[in-house]
Amino acid sequence: MGHSVAIIGTRGYPSFYGGFETLVRHLAPYLAGEGWDVTVYGRDGATSPDMRDRDPRVHTVTTRGIESKSLSTLSYGLTSCADAAKQKPDVALVMNVANGYFLPLLKARGVPTVVNVDGIEWERAKWGKAAKTAFRTGAKLTAKHADRLICDSSEIARRWATDFGRDSDFIPYGGTDPGPLDPVIELADRPYVLMVARFVPENTVGEFITAAEHLSERWNVAIVGSSGYGGDLDERVRLLAATRSNVHWFGHLSDDRKLFSLWQHAGAYFHGHSVGGTNPALVQAMACGTPIVARDTVYNREVLSDTGLFTQPHPHHIAQTIDALLCDPDQRQRLRDSAKLRGMKHYSWEGVCGAYAKALTSAIRTRTQMVT
């Protein structure tokens, strides 16, 4: 008889919102295929209604919460953890340290917890002082109560060892090779630069928009993403796309094939993420064979090694590096080949899902040994 697992802290299954949701879209069916009884907790209206996106072996539970930037994660985390504690699965996989507050609910019921700690949330510019404090406290509680920790990068693992004295399992994200795809029609005529990001300051979106004003004089520019809440960055991109015929804003894309095609055919992909570990978008860009220009951070260097170009977070540097790459087809091909090869070697979904299964099984075994 297989084990049961509750997956808590994402928007649900199947959802196309972000990195955690991408992971769950791969992990939940994988575990079900390995004989696990899988339940994914989520939010109403946050998952794809298309049954083709769904594996019928994966159970889903929708709980209630408060839809707001500051309270949604905490409120949904509380209701999900409370329900899971009641159901008492063999193990809970919990995403995000904000849910550290609710781990004692699961602990009291004897449910071992494996927590993906995500990035260093309390250093993100998008959060105010209260939210940063909440995340930091959640991290301390996670360090105290979680049975096992998962970090998606070696640098994040180092921070947790240094700041909280906890060892962790290193499990990154995976990428999917989509095979050859047709280009998006409006971008098929010449090389273009692509950015895919949530519109928050730490993703270098503002600097890229300024760089795009100059790049769009010579090249097509494709932008995927939004803030989700409106605001200045959304308005700047909307205005740029409205006044420049070769600037194309796709908003939030839940069509994987279209997104993968944009990556696959891009002349350059700008990856400006600065806070966090292994970024799912970066790994997927590698799997699509994209020439990558990344903001120079310890996290991006860990993932890319020498298979991408690095730039400082200044509009002039960003524009200059991208422009030079778009003018150099030989360099673009070298980066395409090397990034794809590195992605296949280090960031496959098969390897990622297998490592999660191993961590979950180990947490169950350890808790069972402690009880007996």
Side-chain angles (χ1 to χ4, degrees):
M1 183 177 167
H3 295 301
S4 59
V5 58
I7 301 178
I8 297 167
T10 77
R11 289 173 178 253
Y13 171 83
S15 174
F16 293 81
Y17 180 75
F20 279 159
E21 288 75 19
T22 302
L23 169 63
V24 170
R25 289 206 321 272
H26 289 274
L27 179 60
Y30 175 91
L31 292 174
E34 293 292 309
W36 290 71
D37 182 355
V38 183
T39 300
V40 181
Y41 285 84
R43 309 178 187 183
D44 190 33
T47 58
S48 169
D50 192 336
M51 293 307 293
R52 291 172 297 180
D53 296 328
R54 188 180 299 269
D55 187 315
R57 299 172 298 179
V58 177
H59 311 295
T60 58
V61 175
T62 301
T63 62
R64 302 185 68 169
I66 300 166
E67 283 294 346
S68 81
K69 183 179 176 182
S70 55
L71 291 175
S72 58
T73 300
L74 286 170
S75 60
Y76 282 105
L78 171 59
T79 55
S80 297
C81 286
D83 188 81
K86 185 176 164 186
Q87 300 303 324
K88 205 175 175 185
D90 293 328
V91 64
L93 174 60
V94 182
M95 309 294 196
N96 198 320
V97 296
N99 294 310
Y101 294 92
F102 315 122
L103 296 182
L105 290 173
L106 296 163
K107 199 172 189 176
R109 293 283 288 164
V111 179
T113 53
V114 177
V115 181
N116 181 318
V117 302
D118 199 18
I120 310 298
E121 284 288 332
W122 52 95
E123 292 182 359
R124 291 188 188 272
K126 70 175 180 177
W127 300 119
K129 188 175 180 182
K132 288 180 179 179
T133 302
F135 276 117
R136 179 79 186 187
T137 304
K140 289 178 181 176
L141 291 168
T142 297
K144 181 178 180 182
H145 295 294
D147 289 271
R148 293 182 81 93
L149 302 180
I150 291 174
C151 294
D152 63 39
S153 87
S154 300
E155 177 61 20
I156 295 289
R158 186 193 66 77
R159 284 289 302 268
W160 274 77
T162 302
D163 296 1
F164 301 104
R166 282 292 306 263
D167 291 331
S168 56
D169 298 315
F170 163 58
I171 309 177
Y173 288 96
T176 301
D177 181 355
L181 298 169
D182 292 331
V184 174
I185 293 170
E186 59 264 44
L187 294 163
D189 58 339
R190 59 183 172 144
Y192 61 90
V193 56
L194 170 68
M195 183 191 73
V196 179
R198 197 163 303 143
F199 289 3
V200 291
E202 62 265 26
N203 289 346
T204 328
V205 177
E207 293 87 343
F208 178 80
I209 297 168
T210 303
E213 292 171 0
H214 301 287
L215 287 165
S216 63
E217 293 170 5
R218 291 186 66 186
W219 310 101
N220 275 327
V221 177
I223 298 172
V224 175
S226 67
S227 68
Y229 297 93
D232 177 58
L233 293 173
D234 297 71
E235 182 58 25
R236 286 183 65 192
V237 173
R238 186 198 67 76
L239 190 62
L240 190 62
T243 56
R244 303 283 179 97
S245 61
N246 56 343
V247 175
H248 307 269
W249 183 25
F250 295 90
H252 176 73
L253 261 187
S254 59
D255 181 345
D256 267 358
R257 287 185 68 80
K258 188 170 185 177
L259 179 57
F260 292 174
S261 172
L262 286 169
W263 265 316
Q264 191 175 85
H265 295 282
Y269 163 58
F270 174 70
H271 185 80
H273 297 62
S274 63
V275 181
T278 298
N279 184 270
L282 181 56
V283 170
Q284 185 55 55
M286 294 167 74
C288 289
T290 314
I292 297 165
V293 174
R295 178 168 170 169
D296 194 352
T297 70
V298 63
Y299 307 113
N300 292 337
R301 282 192 177 271
E302 178 184 325
V303 175
L304 285 166
S305 186
D306 61 352
T307 69
L309 304 179
F310 297 94
T311 183
Q312 295 305 308
H314 305 296
H316 174 72
H317 291 156
I318 294 168
Q320 195 174 49
T321 307
I322 290 170
D323 187 65
L325 180 57
L326 291 174
C327 289
D328 189 343
D330 291 339
Q331 173 83 317
R332 293 205 305 272
Q333 192 58 51
R334 184 187 71 78
L335 293 177
R336 285 187 191 282
D337 295 341
S338 59
K340 191 162 190 172
L341 197 63
R342 181 170 173 80
M344 288 167 59
K345 185 176 180 181
H346 297 286
Y347 303 103
S348 75
W349 277 120
E350 187 72 19
V352 167
C353 292
Y356 268 94
K358 188 176 177 182
L360 293 169
T361 303
S362 180
I364 294 170
R365 189 181 301 121
T366 301
R367 178 59 65 93
T368 303
Q369 290 170 350
M370 287 170 62
V371 171
T372 55

